[in-house]
Structures are given as C-alpha cells and as structure tokens.
Amino acid sequence: DRDRFHVGDNVYVTRCITGSYATACNAEQADVYPLPSRLPLLAGCGLGTAFPVAYRALVRLIPYAVFEI
C-alpha cells in the first residue's frame, strides 16, 4: 500500500509522530488521509486535530455536563 500517496499530494493526519504544525511530519500510513479536492489547503490544515477536538467536546462531553448543572 506504499503507492497510496505521492510527493505533492495534499493530505491530513489524525495522529502524528513528530508534531503536525509544520510543512512536513512523520506519521503512520494508517493515520494519513487524502484531503478532499474541494477543501482548500488552509481549511484542511487543522482537519485532523480541530474536528476531533470539537466532536469530543460537543458529542461526548456536553451530554455529561448538562446533567452536572
């Protein structure tokens, strides 16, 4: 499955070995996904981090917080 991506492909990662706020990083191939072509590169930069954090806050934590009030 080494031919899944090529140099220059726009991708995003969900887990990065070396840190992801850079122009390049090391990641396991299972954690790398193609960036949808209709999504601008700048909009996709935080896709692997911002979306999961927001999802966890809205879907997993808020239902518990409502009952604590």
Side-chain angles (χ1 to χ4, degrees), residues 23-38:
T23 57
C25 68
N26 290 331
E28 296 291 333
Q29 191 171 23
D31 299 323
V32 180
Y33 300 90
L35 188 66
S37 60
R38 65 182 180 271

Side-chain angles (χ1 to χ4, degrees), residues 11-65:
V11 299
Y12 70 94
V13 297
T14 56
R15 186 175 298 153
C16 191
I17 297 168
T18 59
S20 58
Y21 286 102
T23 57
C25 68
N26 290 331
E28 296 291 333
Q29 191 171 23
D31 299 323
V32 180
Y33 300 90
L35 188 66
S37 60
R38 65 182 180 271
L39 191 63
L41 185 59
L42 288 177
C45 289
L47 189 61
T49 304
F51 177 76
V53 169
Y55 175 84
R56 184 172 189 272
L58 293 173
V59 176
R60 293 190 174 178
L61 298 180
I62 286 183
Y64 300 110

